[in-house]
Amino acid sequence: MYALQGVLNAEATGVFEDRKLTVGVFLLEWVALKKRTLKPSTAAAYDKCVRQELLPVFGRMRLKDLNPRHVAAWQADLRLQGRGTPTVYRLGATLRSALSHAVHKERLIGYNAAEGAIGARPAAAERLCWTAVQAAALLRHNELYYRDQVADVFEVMLGTGMRRGEVLGLHWEDVHFMERKIFVRWTLATIDNNELHLCAPKTKASKD
């Protein structure tokens, strides 16, 4: 009888609820899907968040039973642990993204339990840019005391505005001395300070 009612509800609402599906199983499937489309470093960050932060808290709970109170209590506990505001937001945003997939793509649940429980993105800290004098002082310091390749990397970054990964991902064919041009075609990313991956630049503007 219950199975029949479930089918009828699914037909009426478009939500095909699996009463046995746990949050943990769903999250692992979601991460596996993300790994097919995201850069390795980004996919690794999602995987780490899911396995180390979300599974221990929500893993055994049924997906259909997860509600905003659970999410809010988890966020409050993170703050009591001394986790910083940006970290709390980032972890919550990952859960919200996963549940959004469950709602809109998989149609496994009728609403996103994290949607209202996650606060607004915290404002980024104001960044202070060095003056030309300060930048020159850094280069002189490296030249006087280190005299290594790091000084050259700093000089390229300061002179072009390139990101660290973009500089480290340069190939000789990307550098045109006669035309005084550098083409950013790769960025070098690390996963857990262990694996290196050459990826496309972070944004389209990086290539220009």
Side-chain angles (χ1 to χ4, degrees), residues 19-169:
R19 289 180 57 82
K20 296 182 180 180
L21 179 63
T22 64
V23 175
V25 170
F26 165 72
L27 287 176
L28 291 176
E29 291 176 350
W30 176 74
V31 166
L33 182 64
K34 283 292 184 182
K35 288 180 179 180
R36 302 175 191 170
T37 57
L38 296 176
K39 293 180 180 180
S41 56
T42 305
Y46 275 122
D47 187 77
K48 183 177 181 180
C49 174
V50 165
R51 294 181 185 277
Q52 296 186 7
E53 306 288 349
L54 301 179
L55 292 187
V57 180
F58 304 112
R60 296 185 179 182
M61 183 181 298
R62 291 189 300 181
L63 183 62
K64 67 177 290 295
D65 294 335
L66 184 62
N67 65 54
R69 288 179 297 174
H70 296 130
V71 180
W74 167 61
Q75 294 260 287
D77 187 56
L78 289 175
R79 296 187 184 92
L80 288 176
Q81 294 174 24
R83 309 292 287 271
T85 299
T87 299
V88 173
Y89 173 81
R90 176 176 54 80
L91 298 178
T94 301
L95 177 61
R96 181 174 60 192
S97 178
L99 294 179
S100 177
H101 181 85
V103 173
H104 300 292
K105 299 294 184 181
E106 301 289 342
R107 305 293 294 174
L108 296 172
I109 48 179
Y111 74 103
N112 188 334
E115 190 64 48
I118 308 301
R121 179 190 293 272
E126 182 180 358
R127 298 183 180 181
L128 300 177
C129 295
W130 284 350
T131 65
V133 173
Q134 291 171 321
L138 172 70
L139 296 178
R140 284 196 300 270
H141 180 82
N142 274 300
E143 176 65 23
L144 288 173
Y145 295 99
Y146 298 103
R147 295 179 180 275
D148 59 13
Q149 293 179 339
V150 175
D152 297 330
V153 171
F154 287 153
E155 187 167 358
V156 174
M157 292 174 67
L158 289 169
T160 63
M162 293 170 62
R163 297 179 175 89
R164 177 183 59 184
E166 293 170 349
V167 172
L168 297 178

Side-chain angles (χ1 to χ4, degrees), residues 148-191:
D148 59 13
Q149 293 179 339
V150 175
D152 297 330
V153 171
F154 287 153
E155 187 167 358
V156 174
M157 292 174 67
L158 289 169
T160 63
M162 293 170 62
R163 297 179 175 89
R164 177 183 59 184
E166 293 170 349
V167 172
L168 297 178
L170 283 175
H171 293 61
W172 282 116
E173 57 265 31
D174 302 328
V175 181
H176 297 255
F177 290 105
M178 297 301 294
E179 294 87 354
R180 301 173 64 86
K181 290 182 179 180
I182 295 178
F183 293 92
V184 180
R185 298 188 174 101
W186 302 97
T187 182
L188 187 66
T190 62
I191 298 178

